[in-house]
Coordinates of all heavy atoms in Angstrom, one line a residue:
M203 N -8.4 8.2 17.0 CA -9.2 7.4 16.1 C -9.9 8.3 15.1 O -10.5 9.3 15.6 CB -10.2 6.5 16.9 CG -10.8 5.4 16.1 SD -11.7 4.3 17.1 CE -10.4 3.3 17.8
A204 N -9.8 8.0 13.9 CA -10.4 8.9 12.9 C -11.9 9.0 13.0 O -12.6 8.0 13.5 CB -10.1 8.4 11.5
L205 N -12.5 10.1 12.7 CA -13.9 10.3 12.8 C -14.6 10.4 11.5 O -13.9 10.9 10.5 CB -14.2 11.6 13.6 CG -13.5 11.7 15.0 CD1 -13.8 13.1 15.6 CD2 -14.0 10.6 15.9
Y206 N -15.9 10.2 11.4 CA -16.6 10.4 10.2 C -18.0 10.7 10.6 O -18.5 10.3 11.7 CB -16.5 9.3 9.2 CG -17.2 8.0 9.6 CD1 -18.5 7.8 9.2 CD2 -16.5 7.1 10.3 CE1 -19.1 6.6 9.6 CE2 -17.1 5.9 10.7 CZ -18.4 5.7 10.4 OH -19.0 4.5 10.8
K207 N -18.8 11.4 9.7 CA -20.2 11.6 10.0 C -21.1 10.8 9.1 O -22.0 10.1 9.7 CB -20.5 13.1 9.8 CG -21.9 13.5 10.2 CD -22.1 15.0 10.3 CE -23.4 15.4 10.9 NZ -23.6 16.9 11.0
D208 N -20.9 10.8 7.9 CA -21.8 10.1 7.0 C -21.2 8.8 6.5 O -20.5 8.7 5.6 CB -22.1 11.0 5.7 CG -23.1 10.4 4.8 OD1 -23.6 9.3 5.0 OD2 -23.5 11.1 3.8
G209 N -21.6 7.7 7.2 CA -21.1 6.4 6.9 C -21.5 5.9 5.5 O -20.9 5.0 5.0
N210 N -22.5 6.5 4.9 CA -23.0 6.1 3.6 C -21.9 6.4 2.5 O -22.0 6.0 1.4 CB -24.3 6.7 3.2 CG -25.4 6.2 4.1 OD1 -25.5 5.0 4.4 ND2 -26.3 7.1 4.5
E211 N -21.0 7.3 2.9 CA -19.9 7.7 2.0 C -18.6 6.9 2.2 O -17.7 7.2 1.5 CB -19.7 9.2 2.1 CG -20.8 10.1 1.8 CD -21.3 10.1 0.3 OE1 -20.5 9.5 -0.5 OE2 -22.4 10.6 0.0
L212 N -18.6 5.9 3.1 CA -17.5 5.1 3.2 C -17.9 3.7 2.9 O -19.0 3.2 3.2 CB -17.0 5.2 4.7 CG -16.5 6.6 5.1 CD1 -16.2 6.5 6.6 CD2 -15.2 6.9 4.4
T213 N -16.9 2.9 2.4 CA -17.2 1.5 2.0 C -16.2 0.6 2.7 O -15.0 0.8 2.7 CB -17.1 1.3 0.5 OG1 -18.0 2.2 -0.2 CG2 -17.4 -0.1 0.1
H214 N -16.7 -0.4 3.4 CA -15.9 -1.4 4.1 C -15.2 -2.3 3.0 O -15.9 -2.6 2.0 CB -16.7 -2.2 5.0 CG -15.8 -3.2 5.8 ND1 -15.8 -4.6 5.5 CD2 -14.9 -3.0 6.8 CE1 -14.9 -5.1 6.3 NE2 -14.3 -4.2 7.1
T215 N -14.0 -2.7 3.2 CA -13.3 -3.6 2.3 C -12.4 -4.5 3.1 O -12.0 -4.2 4.2 CB -12.4 -2.7 1.3 OG1 -11.7 -3.6 0.5 CG2 -11.4 -1.8 2.0
E216 N -12.1 -5.7 2.6 CA -11.1 -6.6 3.2 C -9.8 -6.5 2.4 O -9.0 -7.4 2.5 CB -11.7 -8.0 3.2 CG -12.9 -8.2 4.1 CD -12.6 -8.0 5.6 OE1 -11.5 -8.2 6.0 OE2 -13.5 -7.6 6.3
S217 N -9.6 -5.5 1.6 CA -8.4 -5.4 0.8 C -7.1 -5.5 1.6 O -7.0 -4.9 2.7 CB -8.4 -4.0 0.1 OG -7.1 -3.8 -0.5
E218 N -6.1 -6.3 1.1 CA -4.9 -6.4 1.7 C -4.0 -5.1 1.7 O -3.0 -5.0 2.4 CB -4.1 -7.6 1.0 CG -4.7 -8.9 1.3 CD -3.9 -10.0 0.5 OE1 -2.9 -9.7 -0.1 OE2 -4.3 -11.2 0.6
D219 N -4.5 -4.1 0.9 CA -3.8 -2.8 0.9 C -3.8 -2.2 2.3 O -2.9 -1.4 2.6 CB -4.5 -1.9 0.0 CG -4.5 -2.2 -1.5 OD1 -3.6 -3.1 -1.8 OD2 -5.2 -1.7 -2.2
F220 N -4.7 -2.7 3.2 CA -4.8 -2.1 4.6 C -4.0 -2.9 5.6 O -3.9 -2.5 6.7 CB -6.3 -2.0 5.0 CG -7.1 -1.0 4.2 CD1 -7.6 -1.4 2.9 CD2 -7.3 0.3 4.6 CE1 -8.3 -0.5 2.1 CE2 -8.0 1.2 3.9 CZ -8.5 0.8 2.6
D221 N -3.4 -4.0 5.1 CA -2.7 -4.9 6.1 C -1.2 -4.6 6.1 O -0.5 -5.0 7.0 CB -2.9 -6.3 5.7 CG -4.4 -6.7 5.8 OD1 -5.1 -6.2 6.5 OD2 -4.7 -7.7 5.0
K222 N -0.7 -4.0 5.0 CA 0.7 -3.7 4.9 C 1.2 -2.6 5.8 O 0.5 -1.7 6.0 CB 1.1 -3.4 3.5 CG 0.8 -4.5 2.5 CD 0.9 -4.1 1.0 CE 0.5 -5.2 0.1 NZ 0.1 -4.8 -1.2
V223 N 2.4 -2.9 6.4 CA 2.9 -1.9 7.4 C 4.1 -1.3 6.7 O 5.0 -2.0 6.2 CB 3.3 -2.6 8.7 CG1 3.9 -1.6 9.7 CG2 2.0 -3.1 9.4
H224 N 4.2 0.1 6.8 CA 5.2 0.8 6.1 C 6.1 1.5 7.1 O 5.7 2.0 8.1 CB 4.6 1.9 5.1 CG 3.5 1.3 4.2 ND1 3.9 0.6 3.1 CD2 2.2 1.2 4.3 CE1 2.8 0.2 2.5 NE2 1.7 0.5 3.2
S225 N 7.4 1.7 6.6 CA 8.4 2.4 7.5 C 8.5 3.9 7.1 O 8.1 4.3 6.0 CB 9.7 1.7 7.2 OG 9.7 0.4 7.7
P226 N 9.0 4.7 8.0 CA 9.2 6.1 7.7 C 10.1 6.2 6.5 O 11.0 5.5 6.3 CB 10.0 6.6 9.0 CG 9.6 5.7 10.1 CD 9.4 4.3 9.4
G227 N 9.7 7.1 5.6 CA 10.5 7.4 4.4 C 9.9 6.6 3.2 O 10.2 6.9 2.0
D228 N 9.2 5.5 3.5 CA 8.6 4.8 2.3 C 7.6 5.7 1.6 O 7.0 6.6 2.3 CB 7.7 3.6 2.9 CG 8.6 2.4 3.4 OD1 9.9 2.5 3.2 OD2 8.1 1.5 3.8
S229 N 7.4 5.5 0.4 CA 6.4 6.3 -0.4 C 5.0 5.8 0.0 O 4.8 4.5 0.0 CB 6.6 6.2 -1.9 OG 7.9 6.8 -2.2
A230 N 4.1 6.7 0.2 CA 2.7 6.3 0.5 C 2.2 5.6 -0.8 O 2.2 6.2 -1.9 CB 1.9 7.5 0.8
P231 N 1.7 4.4 -0.7 CA 1.3 3.6 -1.9 C 0.0 4.2 -2.4 O -0.4 4.0 -3.6 CB 1.2 2.2 -1.4 CG 1.0 2.2 0.1 CD 1.8 3.5 0.5
F232 N -0.8 4.8 -1.5 CA -2.2 5.3 -1.9 C -2.4 6.6 -1.2 O -1.8 6.9 -0.2 CB -3.3 4.3 -1.5 CG -3.1 2.9 -2.0 CD1 -2.6 2.0 -1.1 CD2 -3.3 2.5 -3.3 CE1 -2.4 0.6 -1.5 CE2 -3.1 1.3 -3.7 CZ -2.7 0.3 -2.9
S233 N -3.2 7.4 -1.8 CA -3.6 8.7 -1.1 C -4.7 8.3 0.0 O -5.5 7.4 -0.3 CB -4.3 9.7 -2.1 OG -3.3 10.1 -3.1
G234 N -4.5 8.9 1.2 CA -5.5 8.5 2.2 C -4.9 8.9 3.6 O -4.0 9.7 3.7
I235 N -5.5 8.3 4.6 CA -5.1 8.5 6.0 C -4.3 7.3 6.4 O -4.7 6.2 6.2 CB -6.4 8.8 6.9 CG1 -7.1 10.0 6.4 CG2 -5.9 9.0 8.3 CD1 -8.5 10.2 7.1
Y236 N -3.2 7.6 7.1 CA -2.3 6.6 7.6 C -2.3 6.7 9.1 O -2.3 7.8 9.7 CB -0.9 6.7 7.0 CG -0.9 6.2 5.6 CD1 -1.3 7.1 4.6 CD2 -0.4 5.0 5.2 CE1 -1.3 6.7 3.2 CE2 -0.4 4.6 3.9 CZ -0.9 5.5 2.9 OH -0.9 5.1 1.6
L237 N -2.2 5.5 9.8 CA -2.2 5.4 11.2 C -0.8 4.8 11.6 O -0.4 3.8 11.1 CB -3.3 4.5 11.7 CG -3.2 3.9 13.1 CD1 -3.7 5.0 14.1 CD2 -4.2 2.7 13.2
C238 N -0.2 5.5 12.6 CA 1.0 4.9 13.2 C 0.5 3.8 14.2 O -0.1 4.2 15.2 CB 1.9 5.9 13.9 SG 3.3 5.1 14.7
I239 N 0.8 2.6 14.0 CA 0.2 1.5 14.8 C 0.8 1.5 16.2 O 0.2 0.8 17.1 CB 0.3 0.1 14.1 CG1 1.8 -0.3 13.9 CG2 -0.5 0.1 12.8 CD1 1.9 -1.6 13.4
N240 N 1.8 2.2 16.5 CA 2.4 2.3 17.8 C 2.0 3.4 18.6 O 1.7 3.3 19.8 CB 3.9 2.2 17.7 CG 4.4 0.8 17.4 OD1 3.7 -0.2 17.8 ND2 5.5 0.7 16.7
C241 N 1.9 4.6 18.1 CA 1.5 5.8 18.9 C 0.1 6.3 18.5 O -0.4 7.2 19.1 CB 2.5 7.0 18.7 SG 2.4 7.8 17.1
R242 N -0.6 5.7 17.5 CA -2.0 6.0 17.1 C -2.1 7.3 16.4 O -3.3 7.8 16.2 CB -2.9 5.8 18.3 CG -2.7 4.7 19.1 CD -2.6 3.4 18.4 NE -3.9 3.0 17.8 CZ -4.0 1.8 17.1 NH1 -3.0 1.0 16.9 NH2 -5.2 1.5 16.6
D243 N -1.1 8.1 16.1 CA -1.2 9.3 15.3 C -1.7 9.0 13.9 O -1.4 7.9 13.4 CB 0.2 9.9 15.2 CG 0.4 11.1 16.2 OD1 -0.5 11.4 16.9 OD2 1.5 11.7 16.2
E244 N -2.5 9.9 13.4 CA -3.0 9.7 12.1 C -2.6 10.9 11.2 O -2.6 12.1 11.7 CB -4.6 9.7 12.1 CG -5.1 8.5 12.9 CD -6.5 8.7 13.4 OE1 -7.1 9.8 13.2 OE2 -7.0 7.7 14.0
Y245 N -2.3 10.7 9.9 CA -1.9 11.7 9.0 C -2.4 11.4 7.7 O -2.5 10.2 7.3 CB -0.3 11.9 8.9 CG 0.3 12.5 10.1 CD1 0.8 11.7 11.2 CD2 0.4 13.9 10.2 CE1 1.4 12.3 12.3 CE2 1.0 14.4 11.3 CZ 1.5 13.6 12.4 OH 2.1 14.2 13.5
A246 N -2.7 12.5 6.9 CA -3.2 12.3 5.5 C -2.0 12.5 4.6 O -1.2 13.4 4.8 CB -4.2 13.3 5.2
Y247 N -1.9 11.6 3.6 CA -0.8 11.7 2.6 C -1.3 11.4 1.2 O -2.3 10.7 1.0 CB 0.3 10.6 2.9 CG 1.0 11.0 4.2 CD1 0.6 10.3 5.4 CD2 2.0 12.0 4.2 CE1 1.3 10.7 6.5 CE2 2.6 12.3 5.4 CZ 2.2 11.7 6.5 OH 2.8 12.0 7.7
N248 N -0.6 12.0 0.3 CA -0.9 11.8 -1.1 C 0.0 10.7 -1.6 O 1.1 10.5 -1.1 CB -0.6 13.0 -2.0 CG -1.6 14.1 -1.7 OD1 -2.8 13.9 -1.5 ND2 -1.1 15.3 -1.6
A249 N -0.5 9.9 -2.5 CA 0.3 8.8 -3.1 C 1.6 9.3 -3.6 O 1.7 10.3 -4.3 CB -0.5 8.1 -4.2
G250 N 2.7 8.6 -3.2 CA 4.0 8.9 -3.7 C 4.8 9.8 -2.7 O 6.0 9.9 -2.8
D251 N 4.1 10.5 -1.8 CA 4.8 11.3 -0.8 C 5.4 10.4 0.3 O 4.9 9.3 0.6 CB 3.7 12.1 0.0 CG 3.3 13.3 -0.9 OD1 3.8 13.5 -2.0 OD2 2.4 14.0 -0.4
P252 N 6.6 10.7 0.8 CA 7.3 9.9 1.8 C 6.6 10.0 3.1 O 6.2 11.1 3.6 CB 8.7 10.5 1.8 CG 8.5 11.9 1.3 CD 7.4 11.9 0.4
L253 N 6.4 8.8 3.7 CA 5.8 8.8 5.0 C 6.7 9.4 6.0 O 8.0 9.2 5.9 CB 5.4 7.3 5.4 CG 4.3 6.8 4.4 CD1 4.2 5.3 4.6 CD2 2.9 7.4 4.7
P254 N 6.3 10.0 7.1 CA 7.2 10.8 7.9 C 8.3 10.0 8.6 O 8.1 8.8 9.0 CB 6.3 11.4 9.0 CG 4.9 11.2 8.5 CD 4.9 10.0 7.6
P255 N 9.4 10.6 8.8 CA 10.6 10.0 9.5 C 10.5 10.0 10.9 O 9.5 10.3 11.6 CB 11.7 10.8 8.9 CG 11.1 12.2 8.8 CD 9.7 12.0 8.4
Q256 N 11.5 9.6 11.6 CA 11.6 9.4 13.0 C 11.3 10.7 13.8 O 11.0 10.6 15.0 CB 12.9 8.9 13.4 CG 13.2 7.4 12.9 CD 12.3 6.4 13.7 OE1 11.8 6.7 14.8 NE2 12.2 5.3 13.1
N257 N 11.3 11.8 13.2 CA 11.1 13.0 14.0 C 9.7 13.5 14.0 O 9.3 14.6 14.4 CB 12.0 14.2 13.5 CG 11.7 14.6 12.0 OD1 10.8 14.0 11.4 ND2 12.4 15.6 11.5
H258 N 8.7 12.6 13.6 CA 7.4 13.0 13.7 C 7.0 13.1 15.2 O 7.6 12.6 16.1 CB 6.4 12.2 12.9 CG 5.8 11.0 13.6 ND1 4.4 10.9 13.7 CD2 6.3 9.9 14.1 CE1 4.1 9.8 14.3 NE2 5.2 9.2 14.6
R259 N 6.0 13.9 15.5 CA 5.9 14.4 16.9 C 5.7 13.3 18.0 O 5.0 12.4 17.7 CB 4.8 15.4 16.9 CG 3.4 14.8 16.9 CD 2.3 15.9 17.1 NE 1.0 15.3 16.9 CZ 0.3 14.8 17.9 NH1 0.8 14.8 19.1 NH2 -0.9 14.3 17.7
Q260 N 6.3 13.6 19.1 CA 6.0 12.9 20.3 C 6.1 11.4 20.2 O 5.2 10.6 20.7 CB 4.6 13.3 20.9 CG 4.5 14.7 21.3 CD 3.1 15.1 21.7 OE1 2.2 14.3 21.7 NE2 3.0 16.3 22.1
H261 N 7.1 10.9 19.6 CA 7.2 9.4 19.4 C 8.4 9.0 20.3 O 9.5 8.8 20.0 CB 7.5 9.0 18.0 CG 7.0 7.7 17.7 ND1 7.6 6.5 18.0 CD2 5.8 7.4 17.1 CE1 6.8 5.5 17.6 NE2 5.7 6.0 17.0
S262 N 8.0 8.9 21.7 CA 9.1 8.5 22.6 C 9.5 7.0 22.4 O 8.7 6.2 21.8 CB 8.5 8.6 24.0 OG 7.4 8.0 24.2
A263 N 10.7 6.7 22.9 CA 11.2 5.4 22.6 C 10.3 4.3 23.1 O 10.3 3.2 22.6 CB 12.6 5.3 23.3
N264 N 9.6 4.5 24.2 CA 8.7 3.4 24.7 C 7.5 3.1 23.9 O 6.8 2.2 24.1 CB 8.3 3.7 26.2 CG 7.4 4.9 26.3 OD1 7.1 5.6 25.3 ND2 6.9 5.2 27.5
K265 N 7.3 3.9 22.8 CA 6.2 3.6 21.9 C 6.7 2.8 20.7 O 5.9 2.4 19.9 CB 5.6 4.9 21.3 CG 4.8 5.7 22.4 CD 4.2 7.0 21.9 CE 3.4 7.6 23.0 NZ 2.9 9.0 22.6
G266 N 7.9 2.4 20.7 CA 8.4 1.6 19.7 C 8.7 2.3 18.4 O 8.5 3.5 18.3
A267 N 8.9 1.6 17.3 CA 9.2 2.2 16.0 C 7.9 2.8 15.4 O 6.8 2.4 15.7 CB 9.8 1.1 15.1
I268 N 8.2 3.8 14.5 CA 7.1 4.3 13.7 C 6.7 3.3 12.6 O 7.6 2.9 11.8 CB 7.5 5.7 13.1 CG1 7.8 6.7 14.2 CG2 6.4 6.2 12.2 CD1 8.5 8.0 13.7
R269 N 5.5 2.9 12.6 CA 4.9 2.0 11.6 C 3.6 2.5 11.1 O 2.6 2.5 11.8 CB 4.8 0.6 12.3 CG 6.1 -0.1 12.7 CD 6.8 -0.6 11.5 NE 8.1 -1.2 11.8 CZ 9.3 -0.6 11.5 NH1 9.3 0.5 10.8 NH2 10.4 -1.2 11.8
W270 N 3.6 2.8 9.8 CA 2.4 3.4 9.2 C 1.6 2.3 8.5 O 2.1 1.4 7.8 CB 2.8 4.4 8.1 CG 3.5 5.6 8.7 CD1 4.9 5.9 8.6 CD2 2.9 6.6 9.5 NE1 5.1 7.1 9.2 CE2 4.0 7.5 9.8 CE3 1.6 6.9 10.0 CZ2 3.7 8.6 10.6 CZ3 1.4 7.9 10.8 CH2 2.5 8.8 11.1
R271 N 0.3 2.3 8.7 CA -0.7 1.4 8.1 C -1.8 2.3 7.5 O -2.3 3.2 8.2 CB -1.2 0.4 9.1 CG -1.8 -0.8 8.5 CD -2.3 -1.8 9.5 NE -3.4 -1.1 10.3 CZ -3.8 -1.5 11.5 NH1 -3.2 -2.4 12.2 NH2 -4.9 -0.9 12.1
L272 N -2.2 1.9 6.3 CA -3.3 2.6 5.6 C -4.6 2.4 6.5 O -5.0 1.3 6.8 CB -3.5 2.1 4.2 CG -4.6 2.7 3.4 CD1 -4.3 4.2 3.1 CD2 -4.7 2.0 2.0
L273 N -5.3 3.5 6.7 CA -6.5 3.5 7.5 C -7.8 3.8 6.6 O -8.8 3.2 6.8 CB -6.4 4.5 8.7 CG -7.6 4.6 9.6 CD1 -7.8 3.3 10.3 CD2 -7.4 5.8 10.6
V274 N -7.6 4.8 5.8 CA -8.7 5.2 4.9 C -8.1 5.5 3.6 O -7.1 6.3 3.5 CB -9.5 6.5 5.4 CG1 -10.5 6.9 4.4 CG2 -10.1 6.2 6.8
K275 N -8.6 4.9 2.5 CA -8.1 5.1 1.2 C -9.0 5.9 0.4 O -10.2 5.6 0.3 CB -7.9 3.7 0.5 CG -7.3 3.7 -0.8 CD -7.2 2.2 -1.3 CE -6.6 2.0 -2.6 NZ -6.6 0.6 -2.9
T276 N -8.5 7.0 -0.3 CA -9.4 7.8 -1.1 C -9.6 7.2 -2.5 O -8.7 6.5 -3.0 CB -8.9 9.2 -1.3 OG1 -7.6 9.2 -1.8 CG2 -8.8 9.9 0.1
Q277 N -10.7 7.5 -3.1 CA -11.0 7.0 -4.4 C -11.5 8.1 -5.3 O -12.1 9.0 -4.8 CB -12.0 5.9 -4.5 CG -11.6 4.6 -3.7 CD -12.4 3.5 -4.0 OE1 -12.1 2.6 -4.7 NE2 -13.6 3.5 -3.3
R278 N -11.2 8.0 -6.6 CA -11.8 9.1 -7.5 C -13.3 8.7 -7.8 O -13.7 7.6 -7.7 CB -11.0 9.0 -8.8 CG -9.6 9.5 -8.6 CD -8.8 9.4 -9.9 NE -7.4 9.8 -9.7 CZ -6.9 11.0 -10.1 NH1 -7.7 11.9 -10.7 NH2 -5.7 11.3 -9.8
G279 N -14.0 9.8 -8.1 CA -15.4 9.6 -8.4 C -15.6 8.8 -9.7 O -14.6 8.6 -10.5
P280 N -16.8 8.4 -10.0 CA -17.0 7.6 -11.2 C -16.9 8.3 -12.5 O -16.9 7.6 -13.6 CB -18.5 7.0 -11.0 CG -19.1 8.1 -10.1 CD -18.0 8.7 -9.3
N281 N -16.8 9.6 -12.6 CA -16.7 10.4 -13.8 C -15.4 10.2 -14.5 O -14.4 10.8 -14.1 CB -17.1 11.8 -13.7 CG -18.6 11.9 -13.2 OD1 -19.4 11.0 -13.5 ND2 -18.9 12.9 -12.5
Ligands
ZN170 ZN1 4.0 7.0 15.9

């Protein structure tokens, strides 16, 4: 589970961007941290980078398919 220290720097949202589930090889739609909903691994990706394929670490068959979901989305500053 991702960690943070200063919750004042994070904003809760109900955006549907966080509900979509992506397959290995799909381009990351946003820069941020993605969670595999089956094995709970978390990785940071830049928008447009391919999400990792089936050879990402320690994904045994009993954990099911790799399915990435956006966990934390980065945003640019107001300037
Ligand atoms: Zn996984």
Side-chain angles (χ1 to χ4, degrees):
M203 195 169 282
L205 305 175
Y206 67 92
K207 187 167 185 178
D208 185 355
N210 292 322
E211 298 292 350
L212 296 173
T213 303
H214 182 257
T215 176
E216 295 295 335
S217 169
E218 293 179 1
D219 294 343
F220 294 81
D221 299 332
K222 295 171 185 157
V223 177
H224 307 280
S225 297
D228 288 356
S229 292
F232 307 101
S233 296
I235 300 171
Y236 288 78
L237 165 76
C238 175
I239 59 175
N240 285 329
C241 74
R242 317 308 292 180
D243 259 358
E244 299 159 356
Y245 287 92
Y247 292 99
N248 292 318
D251 287 354
L253 296 167
Q256 291 291 339
N257 62 358
H258 94 117
R259 75 175 175 90
Q260 297 177 358
H261 211 277
S262 56
N264 64 356
K265 289 180 178 171
I268 297 170
R269 292 285 178 249
W270 295 109
R271 196 179 69 203
L272 182 64
L273 180 65
V274 177
K275 182 181 183 181
T276 58
Q277 299 193 100
R278 290 175 184 256
N281 294 333

